[in-house]
Amino acid sequence: MTGLGLLPLAEAQQRLLALARPGAVIDQPLAACLGHYLARPLVAARRQPAADLSAMDGYAIRWSDRPGPWTVVGESAAGRPFGTALRQGEAARISTGAIMPQGADTILVQEDAERAGDTLRLAGDGPSRQGAHIRRAGHDFEPETLLAPAGAPIDARLIALAAMAGHGRLPVHRRLRVAILSTGDELVPPGAPLPSPAHIPASNGAMLAALLAHWPIDATLPPIVPDRLEAVAEALAAQSDADLIVTTGGASVGDHDLIQPALAQLGGSVDFWRIAMRPGKPVMVARLGKAILVGLPGNPVSAFVTAQMLVLPLLRAMLGANEALPRTSELPACAPFPAIGGRQDFVRSRIIDGAIHPLGNQDSGALHALWQADALAIRPAHAPEAAIGSPISCMMLSRQA
Ligand code: AMP
Ligand code: MG
């Protein structure tokens, strides 16, 4: 705990990740694996390439026969190898990816060859060394090579690698069910008419659903929950078979902050709450039946930052990722960053010419400034002022997801 009675974020993250239990392992077809994490290491089931191949279109020759001429005795095409061995003075037409005929040890590329009927002559410099333009058997991987560790994210590149390594299916953890509950009497669904200036569009639900969209997660977005204890309790109870319930709003201790009272009524247990971070202090982590509940603040920027720092790491861990916490890198400050109080600060910032620059509007509801940000500059609690040029730890904000 800090002097303010708040939990440091790093400790909150460790406690939260300790709750994560990845679901059952299933073997899924490659095409359905995108966004999952490997549940077991990926091991090569074959040698790649299985034989020496030509890397170019041209002619397979014997180095010792240079400078030719050669007699073209056949062809090795991709998928249709040349059946017999090359003898002295012989060459085979060969295309990229085709198997080197026996006896051949070098490729004469198309551009350096001149052919008249079956007679092949050197035109140009020819190959520079014995073995030129050959892709050696096993140069990419050998059978049993450990290609990727358990917990690696399955992306397009890993899918290609798995396919080449002989796998049509991969072991992954089952999909997760996540319920996203927005609470607040003032909230109106996006695009719906606002009855009064006291009402606002509910942006958090759409934002959270978007953050999860690239993962194997079935997200449900029940209707907005009004600020009445029975309504909140009923909405939570209806989602207790989810793996994770994420709520926004109502997580503080105001008269209308009903997540904790509703949870108590349902027999849920609060694990911890209130984190020493800004924005985002009133975060709560609890358990309700088999579900983990993470209560995020209602302010949209607070909800985004706490989702990045807590909800997404938790989901990565629940999906079996080997790296759950966000990556950070250091960039030089291109303006002074003020001294920090007792709460770790997440400063919405732009990156200009490789340096980090705090945006003017740091209000925890300012979504336009959040959208303009390229990174969150992460300032530790009690940090002194950071002068221009000093290194600042940053979490990049992707424009893709
Ligand atoms: P609360 O945490 O309920 O006290 O809400 C804090 C602030 O966030 C208030 O100004 C709410 O109107 C706002 N807020 C709560 N939920 C949402 C939401 N889903 N979308 C946008 N703003 C919200
Ligand atoms: Mg509220």
Side-chain angles (χ1 to χ4, degrees):
M1 285 286 171
T2 66
L4 305 169
L6 308 176
L7 202 59
L9 175 61
E11 200 179 321
Q13 286 170 324
Q14 290 317 317
R15 285 175 68 162
L16 185 58
L17 295 183
L19 301 177
R21 301 274 175 275
V25 176
I26 45 172
D27 273 317
Q28 283 217 134
L30 279 187
C33 289
L34 184 65
H36 281 272
Y37 297 82
L38 283 177
R40 286 193 288 273
L42 177 65
V43 175
R46 56 181 294 276
R47 168 174 292 128
Q48 175 56 23
D52 288 356
L53 306 179
S54 175
M56 301 285 280
D57 288 332
Y59 294 87
I61 60 165
R62 297 153 55 111
W63 174 255
S64 54
D65 289 344
R66 282 164 319 122
W70 297 265
T71 307
V72 180
V73 292
E75 183 182 7
S76 178
R80 281 180 287 114
F82 181 66
T84 52
L86 284 191
R87 288 170 306 190
Q88 195 180 355
E90 292 180 344
R93 181 97 180 95
I94 196 163
S95 40
T96 305
I99 290 187
M100 289 296 288
Q102 261 182 42
D105 59 9
T106 302
I107 295 295
L108 171 62
V109 300
Q110 180 85 37
E111 294 77 0
D112 286 354
E114 200 176 79
R115 183 167 167 184
D118 287 343
T119 304
L120 179 71
R121 290 178 198 284
L122 195 59
D125 294 341
S128 59
R129 60 179 178 86
Q130 188 174 20
H133 307 300
I134 295 175
R135 286 187 191 141
R136 291 293 170 198
H139 80 80
D140 197 357
F141 49 80
E142 294 288 346
E144 303 301 323
T145 303
L146 172 64
L147 298 171
I154 301 176
D155 59 5
R157 287 182 291 155
L158 191 64
I159 286 174
L161 177 60
M164 195 55 85
H167 301 283
R169 306 174 79 88
L170 288 174
V172 297
H173 298 279
R174 68 159 173 81
R175 295 174 69 84
L176 298 177
R177 290 185 309 270
V178 176
I180 300 169
L181 287 180
S182 303
T183 71
D185 283 339
E186 75 283 28
L187 301 179
V188 171
L194 296 166
S196 83
H199 289 87
I200 59 163
S203 59
N204 288 342
M207 179 266 290
L208 290 168
L211 283 176
L212 312 188
H214 66 290
W215 270 327
I217 288 177
D218 299 313
T220 51
L221 273 167
I224 290 160
V225 185
D227 288 322
R228 277 187 297 106
L229 182 58
E230 318 80 74
V232 176
E234 202 178 301
L236 289 180
Q239 304 302 332
S240 57
D241 65 340
D243 298 296
L244 174 66
I245 304 171
V246 183
T247 65
T248 71
S252 293
V253 285
D255 291 342
H256 304 288
D257 292 324
L258 299 169
I259 302 289
Q260 289 209 43
L263 199 65
Q265 186 173 311
L266 296 171
S269 56
V270 174
D271 201 287
F272 63 85
W273 83 293
R274 304 222 306 162
I275 298 178
M277 62 188 290
R278 196 175 71 149
K281 179 174 69 174
V283 173
M284 183 192 43
V285 170
R287 266 167 298 180
L288 179 61
K290 276 192 286 183
I292 300 172
L293 184 147
V294 181
L296 302 182
N299 271 310
V301 177
S302 309
F304 177 83
V305 173
T306 50
Q308 292 288 339
M309 293 299 149
L310 293 152
V311 175
L312 304 192
L314 173 64
L315 285 169
R316 285 186 203 103
M318 291 171 81
L319 289 166
N322 58 8
E323 191 182 320
L325 295 175
R327 284 193 184 177
T328 57
S329 46
E330 287 192 338
L331 289 177
C334 82
F337 279 69
I340 300 299
R343 290 156 66 188
Q344 188 174 8
D345 202 359
F346 293 84
V347 186
R348 279 73 78 200
S349 304
R350 294 202 60 193
I351 298 171
I352 302 168
D353 294 334
I356 190 90
H357 190 97
L359 282 156
N361 191 348
Q362 295 292 327
D363 186 273
S364 58
L367 282 174
H368 190 196
L370 176 65
W371 180 79
Q372 289 173 313
D374 303 307
L376 296 174
I378 305 177
R379 304 274 290 128
H382 307 296
E385 186 189 86
I388 293 178
S390 51
I392 305 281
S393 170
C394 296
M395 187 195 117
M396 302 303 156
L397 297 175
S398 158
R399 290 276 172 207
Q400 259 104 54

